[in-house]
Amino acid sequence: MATTAEKTALPSEIETFIRGVMDDWKIVGLQMCAVLPSGKTEYGAFGFRDDEDRPVDLDTYFGIASCSKAFCCFALSQLMQDYSTGRSLTPTLKPLPSGLKTFDWQTPMAKLMPDKWALFDPYASDRAALIDLVAHVTGVAPHDLMYVPGETAEEVIARLKYLKPSRGLREESQYNNLMYMAVQTLIADLSGIPYTDFIKTRNFDPIGMTSSTFDVEAVRASQNITQGFTFTGPGKDIKRAEPHFIRDNGSADMLAGGSGILSNVKDTSKWIKTLLAHGMDPSGNTPLVSEQLFKVMTQGRYLSEVNGALFPELSPAIYSCGWFRYSMQGHELFAHTGGTGRARTLRPFKMGVSAYTCIAPNDNMGFCLLSNTGVRQPALRSIVHRIVGQQLGLTQIDWSRRYLEVMAKVENAQKEKVVPRSADAAAPHLELSRYCGTYKNAAYGSFTLHGPGSSPSIKGDAVISVFAAINSSPSAPFPDEAHTTPQLYAEFNRIWCTHLRFRHKEGDTWNVTAEALYPKGWGVDKTPFVRMWSRWEAMFVLEGEGDGAEVKGMKWMENMLYPPQTKQVGDEERTIWFERTSG
């Protein structure tokens, strides 16, 4: 699968190793750059950017996904410096609110954005500092299904106040894109210009990242952007192409701070050199941020891997401002994964982006790897670990094999959780049609369930028709249940999915999956397919007895949808409530 698309400057041994990793992990296309201790920068481009087998080259655009978070924190540090020195390269800089003259990582968000910031828990809302937001320790779970394509970041964070916390402030790391939406909103408010303009003028331009952008539509027009690839179906063996997860510029603002940058390794190599120089631009003439602020950004603050590292040669990772910090065989690294599948939880139901940026600060090395295949961050990390080990003369470890074994265990555990509906399962208390209707949550919005006997409508018929096409496709996720298990369906247009599938489990408990449906295919292949995103349980709550009972609403089991790293008393009772608003 891994075909070299253009001659690279990488040593042949490393090229061969990379192609082997790509084959083992079924990676369709990949770019990489390596800034080495010698000062030499090496580049590589491998495989294909789309399902027409057009090759990846060094100018091909990839989404860097959550590797964008480091830029967001870098920008916030620049604003801290602007206010502390009284000098700014941004002429539209606004006065700080609440009588503040300066601010830092310990400043509460409530003081900086008093009219736009509010959490459900008043204690956390008042005391959550900037460092808590960017280090994912506000106590709020990810809630990645609450934001809708076309929304702005400001519109999304206005609904944070409806999300009950699953942990206390600073109690446990819970990776959270929502908080980066809040931080990017703050940067835009203080700078007086859109967040994307601030990143361009204060970072892309001085660093020389001339290709990097947030403009999805312009990049698509260049004809040199990767499609995403996913492996779907019951056996995860059907390769299908998907569009970039940010479909158009209407959603670019919302995801800009946490995952919005489009770039290539020609540009990201300049970012790596800036990081190796502690915030100095590649020319060596301009410090973009002070040495002290750079140190705070990269030093790590909160334990991220609370259950320990995966392997004895690695330390548990700590997290700070858009960076994980850990050691590999005694050598410090700060790094970040990017992608629509979380590498540290290895959740296998995500679309096609994987990225990895890694800096070895004490050994003067840095790397960026960009891929168009989902949930391949461990493979990218394996490549970096191999090169770092080779450069430093460390004992060589087959990192790729190790991570593949971990992935296999995770996928087997996921399969074991999918228990077919028991033949003697208690039937739903009501006829299926009486569960249909519209359900609403203040944070998540609404959706309408359709199914057998539901009121005929153009929209409902369309939803049922789409699922009928998907259920007869080779990628159908539950082929054995298509005609044996009662099912209800809803359109649920979100960044990560398009629909919800409810499969009856027992009584009024149902298995739910968020799925991205492509009834007309995508790219070259126009046949239907589906990609699953996540699964959890929901319970309908009835009011009344017998034939007079009515559905009051439903509870989503939050601990299954967004499982925390540690278990606590009460986790099983944490739910997301949807009120039924119409039948």
Side-chain angles (χ1 to χ4, degrees):
M1 179 180 294
T3 301
T4 303
E6 70 175 49
K7 183 63 180 175
T8 74
L10 294 168
S12 60
E13 176 193 356
I14 295 299
E15 282 195 28
T16 300
F17 169 71
I18 291 172
R19 286 194 289 271
V21 171
M22 290 179 70
D23 286 339
D24 291 342
W25 286 82
K26 298 181 181 179
I27 295 174
V28 179
L30 182 148
Q31 279 181 347
M32 76 163 291
C33 65
V35 180
L36 300 177
S38 64
K40 182 180 180 182
T41 302
E42 296 178 344
Y43 298 92
F46 304 85
F48 305 107
R49 69 177 188 257
D50 57 29
D51 57 358
E52 297 181 58
D53 289 348
R54 290 185 288 189
V56 173
D57 59 48
L58 295 180
D59 294 306
T60 300
Y61 279 96
F62 287 76
I64 74 169
S66 286
C67 292
S68 304
K69 289 181 169 65
F71 286 86
C72 186
C73 294
F74 199 90
L76 192 56
S77 291
Q78 290 173 309
L79 283 175
M80 293 176 190
Q81 184 167 289
D82 287 355
Y83 286 102
S84 66
T85 62
R87 300 187 302 273
S88 178
L89 296 175
T90 304
T92 52
L93 199 68
K94 305 296 183 182
L96 288 171
S98 307
L100 297 173
K101 299 299 183 183
T102 62
F103 73 101
D104 58 26
W105 289 109
Q106 301 303 323
T107 303
M109 188 65 158
K111 290 188 176 181
L112 291 165
M113 224 163 50
D115 297 330
K116 297 181 181 180
W117 170 257
L119 297 179
F120 183 90
D121 175 13
Y123 180 89
S125 189
D126 290 342
R127 291 166 176 80
L130 290 173
I131 189 66
D132 301 320
L133 275 69
V134 299
H136 309 297
V137 291
T138 61
V140 180
H143 294 287
D144 286 320
L145 288 177
M146 69 169 275
Y147 41 96
V148 180
E151 288 190 292
T152 65
E154 186 171 329
E155 288 171 333
V156 175
I157 65 171
R159 301 197 300 277
L160 291 176
K161 60 190 175 187
Y162 301 120
L163 300 172
K164 293 182 180 180
S166 57
R167 291 291 182 267
L169 179 66
R170 308 184 188 110
E171 186 176 5
E172 181 179 323
S173 175
Q174 297 182 100
Y175 197 88
N176 199 311
N177 289 307
L178 299 170
M179 299 306 157
Y180 277 79
M181 295 183 194
V183 171
Q184 76 174 65
T185 301
L186 174 65
I187 291 170
D189 284 357
L190 295 183
S191 66
I193 57 177
Y195 172 80
T196 54
D197 289 352
F198 188 90
I199 296 297
K200 182 181 186 304
T201 57
R202 296 292 295 269
N203 291 288
F204 290 167
D205 289 349
I207 294 172
M209 299 177 69
T210 55
S211 296
S212 299
T213 183
F214 296 89
D215 191 333
V216 179
E217 294 167 13
V219 168
R220 188 173 291 120
S222 76
Q223 298 293 309
N224 197 6
I225 182 176
T226 60
Q227 292 173 326
F229 286 88
T230 187
F231 286 83
T232 186
K236 304 289 187 297
D237 56 356
I238 301 172
K239 183 181 80 172
R240 297 301 299 261
E242 291 188 273
H244 183 57
F245 68 96
I246 302 176
R247 302 292 182 91
D248 53 44
N249 288 347
S251 299
D253 170 82
M254 173 174 61
L255 296 170
S259 55
I261 295 174
L262 293 145
S263 191
N264 56 49
V265 293
K266 281 185 176 179
D267 266 15
T268 57
S269 66
K270 299 170 186 175
W271 171 236
I272 289 168
K273 291 174 183 177
T274 299
L275 297 171
L276 287 171
H278 294 190
M280 184 77 68
D281 79 349
S283 71
N285 296 323
T286 306
L288 301 179
V289 71
S290 73
E291 181 90 14
Q292 180 58 32
L293 283 168
F294 183 85
K295 181 179 179 181
V296 172
M297 277 188 287
T298 58
Q299 67 186 2
R301 188 66 62 94
Y302 293 104
L303 183 63
S304 175
E305 293 179 311
V306 298
N307 295 314
L310 282 174
F311 309 116
E313 297 85 0
L314 303 178
S315 71
I318 54 178
Y319 196 94
S320 187
C321 307
W323 295 106
F324 294 95
R325 190 154 190 147
Y326 67 102
S327 67
M328 183 203 79
Q329 294 173 270
H331 290 262
E332 278 198 277
L333 304 173
F334 62 87
H336 209 288
T337 54
T340 40
R342 272 185 254 157
R344 293 189 174 271
T345 56
L346 300 176
R347 292 175 67 179
F349 306 124
K350 300 294 182 75
M351 59 204 298
V353 177
S354 296
Y356 190 56
T357 303
C358 181
I359 307 296
N362 300 327
D363 298 300
N364 201 33
M365 279 185 282
F367 308 85
C368 181
L369 289 86
L370 305 174
S371 165
N372 58 5
T373 312
V375 202
R376 298 305 189 264
Q377 296 93 328
L380 308 185
R381 188 184 294 117
S382 298
I383 294 170
V384 169
H385 286 184
R386 163 67 180 269
I387 298 174
V388 170
Q390 185 181 58
Q391 287 287 318
L392 300 177
L394 305 177
T395 301
Q396 285 297 308
I397 295 170
D398 191 344
W399 295 103
S400 179
R401 177 187 60 80
R402 284 190 176 184
Y403 280 115
L404 280 169
E405 290 173 353
V406 172
M407 275 295 273
K409 290 179 181 178
V410 171
E411 292 195 3
N412 287 335
Q414 290 285 348
K415 290 177 182 178
E416 291 174 2
K417 290 181 180 179
V418 183
V419 180
R421 179 173 178 257
S422 172
D424 59 355
H429 288 94
L430 305 176
E431 294 180 0
L432 294 186
S433 62
R434 295 177 65 184
Y435 294 95
C436 297
T438 300
Y439 297 80
K440 185 175 182 178
N441 173 276
Y444 278 68
S446 62
F447 62 88
T448 302
L449 279 178
H450 306 278
S454 58
S455 300
S457 67
I458 295 175
K459 189 169 185 178
D461 293 346
V463 169
I464 292 172
S465 176
V466 165
F467 272 96
I470 294 300
N471 290 342
S472 61
S473 74
S475 67
F478 309 103
D480 296 336
E481 300 184 32
H483 304 293
T484 61
T485 301
Q487 299 193 20
L488 300 172
Y489 309 121
E491 182 179 1
F492 196 65
N493 189 27
R494 299 297 185 267
I495 294 294
W496 313 116
C497 69
T498 61
H499 291 76
L500 301 175
R501 179 196 301 262
F502 285 67
R503 296 157 30 246
H504 182 251
K505 180 180 180 181
E506 175 87 20
D508 290 319
T509 299
W510 294 64
N511 291 312
V512 187
T513 48
E515 305 176 13
L517 307 188
Y518 293 89
K520 297 182 180 180
W522 181 267
V524 171
D525 190 341
K526 304 302 183 184
T527 61
F529 77 98
V530 57
R531 171 189 42 79
M532 286 179 54
W533 185 82
S534 191
R535 52 178 158 228
W536 62 98
E537 286 184 2
M539 292 181 290
F540 289 94
V541 177
L542 307 186
E543 196 171 50
E545 300 289 339
D547 293 338
E550 295 291 340
V551 178
K552 182 180 180 181
M554 74 169 73
K555 296 186 290 187
W556 286 7
M557 304 310 295
E558 182 181 310
N559 68 300
M560 296 175 65
L561 182 56
Y562 303 113
Q565 294 188 66
T566 60
K567 293 182 179 181
Q568 292 186 6
V569 174
D571 278 349
E572 299 298 323
E573 304 303 319
R574 299 187 194 281
T575 61
I576 303 169
W577 173 251
F578 284 80
E579 189 85 21
R580 190 185 191 196
T581 59
S582 67

